[in-house]
CSV table of all heavy atoms in Angstrom, one decimal:
chain,number,residue,atom,x,y,z
A,25,VAL,N,-1.8,2.0,-31.0
A,25,VAL,CA,-2.4,2.9,-32.0
A,25,VAL,C,-1.6,3.2,-33.2
A,25,VAL,O,-2.0,3.2,-34.3
A,25,VAL,CB,-2.7,4.3,-31.3
A,25,VAL,CG1,-3.3,5.3,-32.3
A,25,VAL,CG2,-3.8,4.1,-30.2
A,26,ASP,N,-0.2,3.3,-33.0
A,26,ASP,CA,0.7,3.6,-34.1
A,26,ASP,C,1.9,2.7,-34.0
A,26,ASP,O,2.9,3.1,-33.4
A,26,ASP,CB,1.1,5.1,-34.2
A,26,ASP,CG,1.9,5.4,-35.4
A,26,ASP,OD1,2.1,4.5,-36.2
A,26,ASP,OD2,2.4,6.6,-35.5
A,27,PRO,N,1.9,1.5,-34.6
A,27,PRO,CA,3.0,0.6,-34.4
A,27,PRO,C,4.3,1.1,-35.0
A,27,PRO,O,5.4,0.6,-34.6
A,27,PRO,CB,2.5,-0.7,-35.1
A,27,PRO,CG,1.1,-0.6,-35.2
A,27,PRO,CD,0.8,0.9,-35.3
A,28,SER,N,4.2,2.1,-35.9
A,28,SER,CA,5.4,2.6,-36.6
A,28,SER,C,6.2,3.6,-35.7
A,28,SER,O,7.3,3.9,-35.9
A,28,SER,CB,5.1,3.3,-37.9
A,28,SER,OG,4.3,4.4,-37.7
A,29,GLU,N,5.5,4.1,-34.7
A,29,GLU,CA,6.2,5.1,-33.8
A,29,GLU,C,7.1,4.4,-32.9
A,29,GLU,O,6.9,3.4,-32.3
A,29,GLU,CB,5.1,5.8,-33.0
A,29,GLU,CG,5.7,6.9,-32.1
A,29,GLU,CD,4.7,7.7,-31.3
A,29,GLU,OE1,3.5,7.3,-31.5
A,29,GLU,OE2,5.0,8.6,-30.6
A,30,GLU,N,8.3,5.0,-32.8
A,30,GLU,CA,9.3,4.4,-31.9
A,30,GLU,C,9.9,5.6,-31.1
A,30,GLU,O,10.3,6.6,-31.7
A,30,GLU,CB,10.4,3.7,-32.7
A,30,GLU,CG,11.4,3.1,-31.8
A,30,GLU,CD,12.5,2.3,-32.6
A,30,GLU,OE1,12.5,2.5,-33.8
A,30,GLU,OE2,13.3,1.6,-32.0
A,31,LYS,N,10.0,5.4,-29.8
A,31,LYS,CA,10.6,6.4,-28.9
A,31,LYS,C,12.0,6.0,-28.5
A,31,LYS,O,12.3,4.8,-28.3
A,31,LYS,CB,9.8,6.6,-27.7
A,31,LYS,CG,8.4,7.2,-27.9
A,31,LYS,CD,7.7,7.5,-26.6
A,31,LYS,CE,6.3,8.1,-26.9
A,31,LYS,NZ,5.6,8.4,-25.6
A,32,SER,N,12.9,7.0,-28.4
A,32,SER,CA,14.2,6.8,-27.9
A,32,SER,C,14.2,6.5,-26.4
A,32,SER,O,13.3,6.8,-25.7
A,32,SER,CB,15.1,7.9,-28.3
A,32,SER,OG,14.7,9.1,-27.6
A,33,ASN,N,15.3,5.9,-26.0
A,33,ASN,CA,15.4,5.6,-24.5
A,33,ASN,C,15.4,6.9,-23.7
A,33,ASN,O,14.8,7.0,-22.6
A,33,ASN,CB,16.7,4.9,-24.2
A,33,ASN,CG,16.7,3.5,-24.8
A,33,ASN,OD1,15.6,2.9,-25.0
A,33,ASN,ND2,17.9,3.0,-25.1
A,34,GLU,N,16.0,8.0,-24.3
A,34,GLU,CA,16.0,9.3,-23.6
A,34,GLU,C,14.6,9.8,-23.4
A,34,GLU,O,14.2,10.4,-22.3
A,34,GLU,CB,16.8,10.3,-24.4
A,34,GLU,CG,18.3,10.0,-24.4
A,34,GLU,CD,18.7,9.0,-25.4
A,34,GLU,OE1,17.8,8.5,-26.2
A,34,GLU,OE2,19.9,8.6,-25.5
A,35,VAL,N,13.7,9.7,-24.4
A,35,VAL,CA,12.3,10.2,-24.3
A,35,VAL,C,11.6,9.4,-23.3
A,35,VAL,O,10.8,9.9,-22.4
A,35,VAL,CB,11.6,10.1,-25.7
A,35,VAL,CG1,10.2,10.4,-25.5
A,35,VAL,CG2,12.3,11.1,-26.7
A,36,VAL,N,11.7,8.1,-23.3
A,36,VAL,CA,11.0,7.2,-22.3
A,36,VAL,C,11.4,7.6,-20.9
A,36,VAL,O,10.6,7.7,-20.0
A,36,VAL,CB,11.3,5.7,-22.6
A,36,VAL,CG1,10.7,4.8,-21.5
A,36,VAL,CG2,10.7,5.3,-24.0
A,37,ILE,N,12.7,7.7,-20.7
A,37,ILE,CA,13.2,8.1,-19.3
A,37,ILE,C,12.7,9.4,-18.9
A,37,ILE,O,12.3,9.6,-17.7
A,37,ILE,CB,14.8,8.0,-19.3
A,37,ILE,CG1,15.3,6.6,-19.5
A,37,ILE,CG2,15.3,8.6,-18.0
A,37,ILE,CD1,16.8,6.5,-19.6
A,38,ALA,N,12.7,10.4,-19.8
A,38,ALA,CA,12.2,11.7,-19.5
A,38,ALA,C,10.7,11.6,-19.1
A,38,ALA,O,10.2,12.3,-18.2
A,38,ALA,CB,12.4,12.7,-20.7
A,39,GLU,N,9.9,10.8,-19.8
A,39,GLU,CA,8.5,10.7,-19.5
A,39,GLU,C,8.3,10.0,-18.2
A,39,GLU,O,7.4,10.4,-17.4
A,39,GLU,CB,7.8,9.9,-20.6
A,39,GLU,CG,7.6,10.7,-21.9
A,39,GLU,CD,6.7,10.0,-22.9
A,39,GLU,OE1,6.4,8.9,-22.7
A,39,GLU,OE2,6.4,10.7,-23.9
A,40,LEU,N,9.1,9.0,-17.9
A,40,LEU,CA,9.0,8.4,-16.5
A,40,LEU,C,9.3,9.4,-15.4
A,40,LEU,O,8.6,9.4,-14.4
A,40,LEU,CB,10.0,7.2,-16.5
A,40,LEU,CG,9.6,5.9,-17.2
A,40,LEU,CD1,10.8,5.0,-17.2
A,40,LEU,CD2,8.4,5.3,-16.7
A,41,SER,N,10.3,10.2,-15.6
A,41,SER,CA,10.7,11.2,-14.6
A,41,SER,C,9.5,12.2,-14.5
A,41,SER,O,9.1,12.6,-13.3
A,41,SER,CB,12.0,11.9,-15.0
A,41,SER,OG,13.0,10.9,-15.1
A,42,ALA,N,9.0,12.7,-15.6
A,42,ALA,CA,8.0,13.7,-15.6
A,42,ALA,C,6.7,13.2,-14.9
A,42,ALA,O,6.1,13.8,-14.1
A,42,ALA,CB,7.7,14.2,-17.0
A,43,GLY,N,6.4,11.9,-15.2
A,43,GLY,CA,5.2,11.3,-14.6
A,43,GLY,C,5.3,11.2,-13.1
A,43,GLY,O,4.3,11.4,-12.4
A,44,LEU,N,6.5,10.8,-12.7
A,44,LEU,CA,6.7,10.7,-11.2
A,44,LEU,C,6.6,12.0,-10.5
A,44,LEU,O,5.9,12.1,-9.5
A,44,LEU,CB,8.1,10.1,-11.0
A,44,LEU,CG,8.5,9.9,-9.5
A,44,LEU,CD1,7.5,8.9,-8.8
A,44,LEU,CD2,9.9,9.4,-9.4
A,45,VAL,N,7.2,13.0,-11.1
A,45,VAL,CA,7.1,14.4,-10.4
A,45,VAL,C,5.7,14.9,-10.5
A,45,VAL,O,5.2,15.5,-9.5
A,45,VAL,CB,8.1,15.3,-11.1
A,45,VAL,CG1,8.0,16.7,-10.5
A,45,VAL,CG2,9.5,14.8,-10.9
A,46,LEU,N,5.0,14.8,-11.6
A,46,LEU,CA,3.6,15.3,-11.7
A,46,LEU,C,2.7,14.5,-10.7
A,46,LEU,O,1.9,15.1,-10.1
A,46,LEU,CB,3.1,15.1,-13.1
A,46,LEU,CG,3.7,16.1,-14.1
A,46,LEU,CD1,3.3,15.7,-15.5
A,46,LEU,CD2,3.3,17.5,-13.8
A,47,ALA,N,2.9,13.2,-10.6
A,47,ALA,CA,2.1,12.4,-9.6
A,47,ALA,C,2.4,12.9,-8.2
A,47,ALA,O,1.4,13.0,-7.4
A,47,ALA,CB,2.4,10.9,-9.8
A,48,PHE,N,3.6,13.1,-7.9
A,48,PHE,CA,4.0,13.6,-6.5
A,48,PHE,C,3.3,15.0,-6.3
A,48,PHE,O,2.8,15.3,-5.2
A,48,PHE,CB,5.5,13.8,-6.4
A,48,PHE,CG,5.9,14.3,-5.1
A,48,PHE,CD1,5.9,13.5,-4.0
A,48,PHE,CD2,6.3,15.6,-4.9
A,48,PHE,CE1,6.3,13.9,-2.7
A,48,PHE,CE2,6.7,16.1,-3.7
A,48,PHE,CZ,6.7,15.2,-2.6
A,49,SER,N,3.3,15.9,-7.3
A,49,SER,CA,2.7,17.2,-7.2
A,49,SER,C,1.2,17.1,-6.9
A,49,SER,O,0.6,17.8,-6.1
A,49,SER,CB,3.0,18.0,-8.4
A,49,SER,OG,4.4,18.2,-8.6
A,50,LEU,N,0.5,16.1,-7.7
A,50,LEU,CA,-0.9,15.9,-7.5
A,50,LEU,C,-1.2,15.4,-6.1
A,50,LEU,O,-2.2,15.8,-5.4
A,50,LEU,CB,-1.4,15.0,-8.5
A,50,LEU,CG,-1.6,15.5,-10.0
A,50,LEU,CD1,-2.0,14.3,-10.9
A,50,LEU,CD2,-2.5,16.6,-10.1
A,51,ALA,N,-0.3,14.5,-5.6
A,51,ALA,CA,-0.5,14.0,-4.3
A,51,ALA,C,-0.4,15.1,-3.2
A,51,ALA,O,-1.1,15.1,-2.2
A,51,ALA,CB,0.5,12.9,-4.0
A,52,MET,N,0.5,16.0,-3.4
A,52,MET,CA,0.7,17.1,-2.5
A,52,MET,C,-0.6,18.0,-2.5
A,52,MET,O,-1.0,18.4,-1.4
A,52,MET,CB,1.9,18.0,-2.9
A,52,MET,CG,3.2,17.3,-2.7
A,52,MET,SD,3.5,16.8,-1.0
A,52,MET,CE,3.1,15.1,-1.0
A,53,LEU,N,-1.2,18.2,-3.6
A,53,LEU,CA,-2.5,18.9,-3.7
A,53,LEU,C,-3.6,18.2,-2.9
A,53,LEU,O,-4.4,18.8,-2.2
A,53,LEU,CB,-2.9,19.2,-5.1
A,53,LEU,CG,-2.1,20.2,-5.9
A,53,LEU,CD1,-2.6,20.3,-7.3
A,53,LEU,CD2,-2.1,21.6,-5.3
A,54,TYR,N,-3.6,16.8,-3.1
A,54,TYR,CA,-4.6,16.0,-2.4
A,54,TYR,C,-4.4,16.1,-0.9
A,54,TYR,O,-5.3,16.3,-0.1
A,54,TYR,CB,-4.4,14.6,-2.9
A,54,TYR,CG,-5.2,13.6,-2.1
A,54,TYR,CD1,-6.6,13.3,-2.5
A,54,TYR,CD2,-4.7,12.8,-1.1
A,54,TYR,CE1,-7.3,12.4,-1.8
A,54,TYR,CE2,-5.5,11.9,-0.4
A,54,TYR,CZ,-6.8,11.7,-0.8
A,54,TYR,OH,-7.5,10.8,-0.1
A,55,LEU,N,-3.1,16.0,-0.4
A,55,LEU,CA,-2.9,16.1,1.0
A,55,LEU,C,-3.1,17.5,1.5
A,55,LEU,O,-3.6,17.6,2.7
A,55,LEU,CB,-1.4,15.7,1.3
A,55,LEU,CG,-1.1,14.2,1.0
A,55,LEU,CD1,0.4,14.0,1.2
A,55,LEU,CD2,-1.9,13.3,1.8
A,56,ALA,N,-2.8,18.5,0.7
A,56,ALA,CA,-3.1,19.9,1.2
A,56,ALA,C,-4.6,20.1,1.4
A,56,ALA,O,-5.0,20.7,2.3
A,56,ALA,CB,-2.5,20.9,0.2
A,57,GLY,N,-5.4,19.5,0.5
A,57,GLY,CA,-6.8,19.6,0.6
A,57,GLY,C,-7.3,18.9,1.9
A,57,GLY,O,-8.2,19.4,2.6
A,58,SER,N,-6.8,17.7,2.1
A,58,SER,CA,-7.1,17.0,3.3
A,58,SER,C,-6.8,17.7,4.6
A,58,SER,O,-7.6,17.8,5.5
A,58,SER,CB,-6.4,15.6,3.3
A,58,SER,OG,-6.7,14.9,4.5
A,59,PHE,N,-5.6,18.4,4.6
A,59,PHE,CA,-5.2,19.1,5.8
A,59,PHE,C,-6.1,20.3,6.0
A,59,PHE,O,-6.4,20.7,7.1
A,59,PHE,CB,-3.8,19.5,5.6
A,59,PHE,CG,-3.2,20.3,6.8
A,59,PHE,CD1,-2.9,19.6,8.0
A,59,PHE,CD2,-3.1,21.7,6.8
A,59,PHE,CE1,-2.4,20.3,9.0
A,59,PHE,CE2,-2.7,22.4,7.8
A,59,PHE,CZ,-2.3,21.7,9.0
A,60,THR,N,-6.5,21.0,4.9
A,60,THR,CA,-7.3,22.2,5.0
A,60,THR,C,-8.7,21.9,5.6
A,60,THR,O,-9.2,22.7,6.5
A,60,THR,CB,-7.5,22.8,3.6
A,60,THR,OG1,-6.3,23.1,3.0
A,60,THR,CG2,-8.4,24.0,3.6
A,61,PHE,N,-9.3,20.8,5.3
A,61,PHE,CA,-10.6,20.5,5.8
A,61,PHE,C,-10.6,19.7,7.1
A,61,PHE,O,-11.6,19.8,7.9
A,61,PHE,CB,-11.4,19.6,4.7
A,61,PHE,CG,-11.8,20.5,3.5
A,61,PHE,CD1,-11.1,20.3,2.4
A,61,PHE,CD2,-12.8,21.3,3.6
A,61,PHE,CE1,-11.4,21.1,1.2
A,61,PHE,CE2,-13.2,22.1,2.5
A,61,PHE,CZ,-12.5,22.0,1.3
A,62,THR,N,-9.6,18.9,7.4
A,62,THR,CA,-9.6,18.1,8.6
A,62,THR,C,-8.6,18.5,9.7
A,62,THR,O,-8.7,18.1,10.8
A,62,THR,CB,-9.4,16.6,8.3
A,62,THR,OG1,-8.1,16.5,7.7
A,62,THR,CG2,-10.4,16.1,7.2
A,63,GLY,N,-7.6,19.3,9.2
A,63,GLY,CA,-6.6,19.7,10.2
A,63,GLY,C,-5.5,18.7,10.4
A,63,GLY,O,-4.6,18.9,11.2
A,64,LYS,N,-5.6,17.6,9.6
A,64,LYS,CA,-4.5,16.6,9.7
A,64,LYS,C,-4.5,15.8,8.4
A,64,LYS,O,-5.5,15.8,7.7
A,64,LYS,CB,-4.8,15.6,10.9
A,64,LYS,CG,-6.1,14.9,10.9
A,64,LYS,CD,-6.3,14.1,12.2
A,64,LYS,CE,-7.7,13.4,12.2
A,64,LYS,NZ,-7.9,12.6,13.4
A,65,PHE,N,-3.4,15.1,8.2
A,65,PHE,CA,-3.3,14.4,7.0
A,65,PHE,C,-3.9,13.0,7.1
A,65,PHE,O,-3.2,12.0,7.5
A,65,PHE,CB,-1.8,14.3,6.6
A,65,PHE,CG,-1.1,15.6,6.3
A,65,PHE,CD1,-0.2,16.1,7.1
A,65,PHE,CD2,-1.5,16.3,5.2
A,65,PHE,CE1,0.4,17.3,6.9
A,65,PHE,CE2,-1.0,17.5,4.9
A,65,PHE,CZ,0.0,18.1,5.7
A,66,GLN,N,-5.1,12.8,6.8
A,66,GLN,CA,-5.8,11.5,6.9
A,66,GLN,C,-5.4,10.7,5.7
A,66,GLN,O,-5.3,11.2,4.6
A,66,GLN,CB,-7.3,11.7,6.9
A,66,GLN,CG,-7.9,12.4,8.1
A,66,GLN,CD,-7.8,11.4,9.3
A,66,GLN,OE1,-7.4,10.3,9.2
A,66,GLN,NE2,-8.3,11.9,10.5
A,67,PRO,N,-5.2,9.4,5.8
A,67,PRO,CA,-5.3,8.6,7.0
A,67,PRO,C,-3.9,8.4,7.7
A,67,PRO,O,-3.7,7.4,8.3
A,67,PRO,CB,-5.8,7.3,6.5
A,67,PRO,CG,-5.1,7.1,5.2
A,67,PRO,CD,-5.0,8.5,4.6
């Protein structure tokens, strides 16, 4: 979208870390919902 934009290595690493933690948090919500309705972590 914007070829002139350039990110520093620090910003890229921070985004990778944030994406990993946010994805893990979403997965925990997914598993919590599964446990609430089925009583076990399917599958």
Side-chain angles (χ1 to χ4, degrees):
V25 173
D26 185 5
S28 65
E29 182 179 1
E30 183 179 11
K31 292 184 178 181
S32 64
N33 293 333
E34 291 79 4
V35 172
V36 174
I37 292 173
E39 289 190 349
L40 286 170
S41 301
L44 178 60
V45 174
L46 287 173
F48 179 77
S49 301
L50 287 176
M52 291 301 99
L53 289 178
Y54 173 84
L55 294 177
S58 174
F59 181 79
T60 299
F61 288 103
T62 65
K64 56 183 178 179
F65 295 114
Q66 291 287 359

